[in-house]
Amino acid sequence: MSDIITIMKKELKRFFSDKRILLSLILPGVLIYVMYSFMGSIFENVFSGNKDYTYIIAEENKPDSFDDVLKRTGIKYEIKKAENEEKAKADIKDGNVDIYIKFDENFDEKTSENAVPSVEVYYDSANVNSQTAYTLIYSALLERSVKVTPVYLVNAGEESYDLATKQELSAMMITMMLPFILMIFLFTGCMAVSTESIAGEKERGTIATLLVTPVKRSHIAIGKILALSITSLVSAVISFIGLIFSLPKLMGGEATGISLSAYGFSTYIGTLGVIIVTVLLFTVILSIVSALSKSIKEASQFAMPVMIVVMAVSVLSMVNQGAANTNWWAYLIPVYNSAQCISGLFSLSFNSLFFVITVISNIVFVGLGVFALAKIFNSEKIMFNK
Amino acid sequence: MEEILKVEGLKKTFKLSRKQQKTEKLADRTKVAVNGISFSAYKGEIFGLLGPNGAGKTTTLRIISTLIKPDDGDAFIDGVSVVKNPDKARAKLGFLTSELKLEDFFTPDYLYDYFSSLHGVEKSVAAERKAKLFDRFGITEFAHVKIGDLSTGMKQKISLVISIVHDPDFIIFDEPTNGLDVITAKTVTDFLIELKNLGKTIIISTHIFSLVEKICDRVGVIINGKMVLIGKLKELTELKPLEDVFFDLYLKESGENV
């Protein structure tokens, strides 16, 4: 036991005392938060309009009845009369005006006479603000058009026709994305430290010095895997926190009704449990890859196909709109079971049996992996063949 | 003389990849690395394994140090079989290879304590021995400097010290002075003689004749996986220098003129 602790302490010292490694563990989580929050605000601006921006609208022949239509878009705007069509179009291209709306003359009169007047909306799709203004104003005009001269009405009342609660909407959107993204971050976090560990020892020749000590091969394997798992877990938890706080922002935040308030403390504790066993599993897999490789470079190359498999298995969680699999045997499949368990936790349909199967099966796989790694340490062909 | 190491009929054949087969220019995909090697080493002697690259020296030493298993034969360290009782055998030996490159991140002090702990050396004993060895090799003032910031010679001295943290009676050095500058090489060879005088048994593998002539008591010459000559250095070099003895043998065994 003291051998395992000695090996663990040495590995942990290396990871947590080296500023570069430490930074590589913390940075992904921070970057996820910053990047997704930033991307979310861009998407929100595109789909809901930039709240800090005043859109300049040039109009021609606008009836007063359309002021209400523009207000419904929810954007800040300033209207000015267009001198003529050519000038308005030039202003759009120059960025002085975001959108130009040209109504037929006597628009309201034509409407009341059952004639079909037209509205032409000019914009510049290469300009984000112009494109956003077009998207919002076009749909507001379309809505008004249907109400004024309807062929038939669909969901034309003021009430909400979507019966999903805010919680359910949050759950669906988050469960579609979270398992896949989380699995990728967990794997890359493990990859950052695990691929180097044993292949690095082989490359430096220190593995021979380690293997001629009286320490059991299995103790070396356990010591290394525990240290790598603890390190990867730190990275995983930081990434998870960054992800969970930034995901609602990425998906539109308040505008789409996605919120973390849908989840309780138990959801996060359950997720932490799944993260721990998944990190252990990834660490074992990558340690085996590392042990089978002749160099760090080769280990990184071998880890890539494994990552593609993890991505492929995780992406299955997005099938069926994030709803978790209800077959118990599916929770025996490594990686897939973790993704499904997280789906279950965040879709508010947590099943404790599936959770237990996932945890136990992953621990069994980890045990088998440790056994395999100890065998690899005994294989001269793998450890010393150059 | 007390026999510390007894090697009996070691045989080892490696399977080769197609690439290795092409590089080695062999007819089939196997290579006999060691072919029935037997010899003994006695208390307080330095035994030199001499041979060209690829002769089987490193494979022989790796088998003795329990890193790889022989296809046939066995080696006994102080009566303990490296095949049947590798864990017990490991506690009795020290092993150093010139291929060892210590991790840049750690300090000599930390690595010494780490390997002492893995060898189960008591802390107070380890501290006392560390002070002596660090002082002997001039490591003390660099004890808390990261390995990456030290010279190649200093790194090799630290590797040497780390390989004997547990004060083994039997020590294996694979190419101990490879790549060392003349001053560090002298420090290492002087230390090997010191260890011998303390009653330690040392096996070195090398292709440097001058090193063998300077420190070895007995010599074994390995060519093409076979021990073609074993003898006391003094007796072998009575009539001609070791280099000439070796090349005569090499010509006879391999058929290649140098």
Side-chain angles (χ1 to χ4, degrees):
Chain A
M1 188 64 189
S2 68
D3 301 337
I4 297 174
I5 293 168
T6 305
I7 290 168
M8 262 180 74
K9 273 166 69 181
K10 182 230 172 193
E11 297 290 329
L12 290 173
K13 182 179 168 67
R14 187 161 67 93
F15 294 134
F16 289 102
S17 305
D18 189 329
K19 283 176 194 159
R20 282 173 299 182
I21 296 178
L22 203 58
L23 201 65
S24 75
L25 296 177
I26 297 168
L27 214 54
V30 177
L31 283 178
I32 292 164
Y33 181 78
V34 173
M35 196 174 71
Y36 280 13
S37 300
F38 180 65
M39 283 167 67
S41 79
I42 290 175
F43 292 155
E44 197 176 345
N45 286 347
V46 169
F47 296 114
S48 313
N50 187 343
K51 289 185 173 54
D52 301 324
Y53 182 78
T54 303
Y55 293 87
I56 308 295
I57 301 169
E59 58 86 9
E60 209 175 321
N61 305 324
K62 179 181 73 63
D64 292 341
S65 57
F66 271 79
D67 286 344
D68 188 44
V69 174
L70 294 175
K71 277 178 191 160
R72 286 175 74 108
T73 59
I75 57 173
K76 276 199 287 187
Y77 60 89
E78 191 184 308
I79 295 183
K80 63 178 192 181
K81 281 244 176 258
E83 285 175 32
N84 56 57
E85 188 175 321
E86 291 313 309
K87 174 75 169 61
K89 285 178 181 174
D91 280 345
I92 289 176
K93 290 306 289 178
D94 294 344
N96 299 324
V97 164
D98 293 305
I99 197 159
Y100 165 52
I101 311 172
K102 184 184 174 187
F103 292 85
D104 269 0
E105 282 183 36
N106 305 318
F107 192 91
D108 279 346
E109 285 81 352
K110 283 182 181 172
T111 308
S112 58
E113 288 163 8
N114 285 335
V116 183
S118 68
V119 187
E120 288 169 339
V121 185
Y122 293 90
Y123 68 107
D124 180 359
S125 63
N127 179 318
V128 175
N129 288 328
S130 181
Q131 170 68 49
T132 306
Y134 172 75
T135 306
L136 296 169
I137 290 171
Y138 177 80
S139 51
L141 288 170
L142 204 64
E143 192 183 337
R144 165 71 188 264
S145 160
V146 171
K147 282 185 182 173
V148 171
T149 52
V151 178
Y152 54 83
L153 295 173
V154 180
N155 283 0
E158 292 299 320
E159 73 267 35
S160 171
Y161 293 91
D162 184 359
L163 300 179
T165 62
K166 199 174 175 182
Q167 278 193 333
E168 287 166 342
L169 186 64
S170 297
M172 191 198 78
M173 295 300 281
I174 288 177
T175 49
M176 275 185 72
M177 296 297 293
L178 186 67
F180 173 70
I181 299 172
L182 187 61
M183 287 297 128
I184 302 305
F185 278 116
L186 294 185
F187 191 84
T188 48
C190 294
M191 210 164 103
V193 290
S194 301
T195 44
E196 189 271 347
S197 177
I198 299 163
E201 295 246 29
K202 284 168 82 172
E203 206 171 302
R204 287 187 298 271
T206 44
I207 195 75
T209 313
L210 188 60
L211 294 178
V212 292
T213 63
V215 180
K216 283 184 182 171
R217 306 303 204 232
S218 58
H219 287 191
I220 297 173
I222 293 169
K224 278 195 172 283
I225 284 167
L226 286 177
L228 291 168
S229 299
I230 290 169
T231 312
S232 303
L233 200 60
V234 170
S235 170
V237 169
I238 295 169
S239 292
F240 176 67
I241 293 169
L243 187 61
I244 207 76
F245 279 105
S246 59
L247 209 56
K249 292 187 181 192
L250 178 69
M251 292 177 174
E254 286 172 14
T256 52
I258 294 168
S259 152
L260 291 178
S261 60
Y263 305 111
F265 185 64
S266 58
T267 304
Y268 296 107
I269 290 294
T271 306
L272 184 65
V274 177
I275 287 176
I276 290 171
V277 291
T278 311
V279 163
L280 275 168
L281 181 73
F282 285 160
T283 304
V284 168
I285 293 171
L286 288 166
S287 296
I288 291 172
V289 168
S290 180
L292 293 173
S293 309
K294 290 173 189 168
S295 62
I296 299 169
K297 190 181 167 191
E298 196 176 270
S300 304
Q301 285 169 346
F302 286 163
M304 288 315 290
V306 183
M307 184 170 172
I308 291 166
V309 172
V310 168
M311 283 171 78
V313 174
S314 309
V315 88
L316 293 173
S317 63
M318 293 169 83
V319 177
N320 203 20
Q321 292 186 318
N325 198 313
T326 51
N327 297 309
W328 68 267
W329 51 262
Y331 292 82
L332 294 170
I333 305 167
V335 185
Y336 180 74
N337 57 6
S338 300
Q340 286 301 299
C341 232
I342 290 168
S343 280
L345 282 158
F346 281 88
S347 63
L348 305 170
S349 56
F350 174 70
N351 183 314
S352 53
L353 173 69
F354 296 161
F355 178 81
V356 171
I357 294 173
T358 299
V359 170
I360 292 175
S361 65
N362 278 343
I363 288 172
V364 170
F365 286 123
V366 168
L368 291 173
V370 171
F371 179 74
L373 194 59
K375 286 278 172 204
I376 291 171
F377 280 142
N378 272 322
S379 168
E380 60 199 59
K381 192 165 189 274
I382 297 169
M383 297 315 284
F384 300 106
N385 193 8
K386 289 195 173 176
Chain B
M1 281 201 290
E2 189 185 341
E3 190 181 55
I4 298 294
L5 173 72
K6 188 177 185 182
V7 178
E8 286 182 341
L10 289 185
K11 284 186 181 174
K12 185 72 186 175
T13 301
F14 290 116
K15 282 181 187 166
L16 303 179
S17 63
R18 288 192 192 284
K19 192 179 165 190
Q20 286 169 322
Q21 182 193 6
K22 208 173 166 184
T23 312
E24 301 262 350
K25 293 173 186 166
L26 294 170
D28 55 19
R29 287 176 60 187
T30 55
K31 186 190 175 184
V32 180
V34 173
N35 193 2
I37 284 182
S38 300
F39 67 97
S40 293
Y42 302 97
K43 188 174 169 67
E45 79 166 5
I46 300 180
F47 186 94
L49 276 180
L50 197 59
N53 286 342
K57 303 187 301 286
T58 298
T59 304
T60 305
L61 294 188
R62 280 182 176 172
I63 292 171
I64 298 169
S65 60
T66 75
L67 287 172
I68 60 177
K69 283 192 165 65
D71 298 331
D72 198 11
D74 202 344
F76 301 87
I77 301 167
D78 208 7
V80 178
S81 161
V82 298
V83 177
K84 291 174 190 150
N85 238 329
D87 289 342
K88 214 172 162 188
R90 275 179 212 127
K92 290 180 173 286
L93 68 93
F95 176 77
L96 175 68
T97 165
S98 60
E99 286 177 6
L100 176 65
K101 290 173 191 73
L102 297 169
E103 281 174 87
D104 285 350
F105 177 76
F106 294 105
T107 64
D109 188 69
Y110 184 86
L111 285 177
Y112 188 97
D113 291 344
Y114 172 66
F115 281 103
S116 282
S117 175
L118 292 184
H119 277 283
V121 182
E122 219 175 278
K123 274 187 181 172
S124 58
V125 177
E128 196 183 321
R129 187 165 162 75
K130 178 168 68 178
K132 271 186 196 168
L133 286 169
F134 276 22
D135 191 41
R136 165 70 181 78
F137 285 98
I139 300 170
T140 311
E141 61 179 305
F142 304 105
H144 299 285
V145 177
K146 284 187 178 175
I147 300 285
D149 297 329
L150 298 173
S151 67
T152 310
M154 186 54 72
K155 285 178 189 171
Q156 188 67 3
K157 285 182 198 173
I158 296 158
S159 302
L160 172 66
V161 164
I162 278 166
S163 67
I164 53 169
V165 288
H166 52 309
D167 196 15
D169 288 330
F170 173 60
I171 305 158
I172 299 168
F173 289 135
D174 189 8
E175 309 275 6
T177 57
N178 230 14
L180 296 185
D181 65 88
V182 285
I183 297 166
T184 314
K186 184 174 174 2
T187 313
V188 171
T189 50
D190 286 352
F191 183 63
L192 294 180
I193 294 166
E194 252 178 69
L195 287 173
K196 174 196 145 176
N197 293 336
L198 287 169
K200 310 286 185 191
T201 306
I202 301 161
I203 292 193
I204 64 161
S205 88
T206 185
H207 49 259
I208 304 169
F209 298 106
S210 59
L211 178 68
V212 175
E213 284 172 329
K214 187 180 174 190
I215 67 170
C216 291
D217 300 292
R218 291 194 309 128
V219 183
V221 177
I222 299 182
I223 294 172
N224 292 336
K226 286 182 182 170
M227 186 73 89
V228 293
L229 178 76
I230 300 178
K232 286 186 178 170
L233 184 73
K234 276 182 188 169
E235 290 167 5
L236 293 176
T237 54
E238 248 173 23
L239 299 173
K240 49 187 170 181
L242 183 62
E243 195 171 343
D244 292 348
V245 173
F246 175 81
F247 285 117
D248 287 348
L249 271 171
Y250 187 71
L251 179 64
K252 189 179 153 195
E253 292 295 325
S254 68
E256 286 177 38
N257 211 342
V258 183

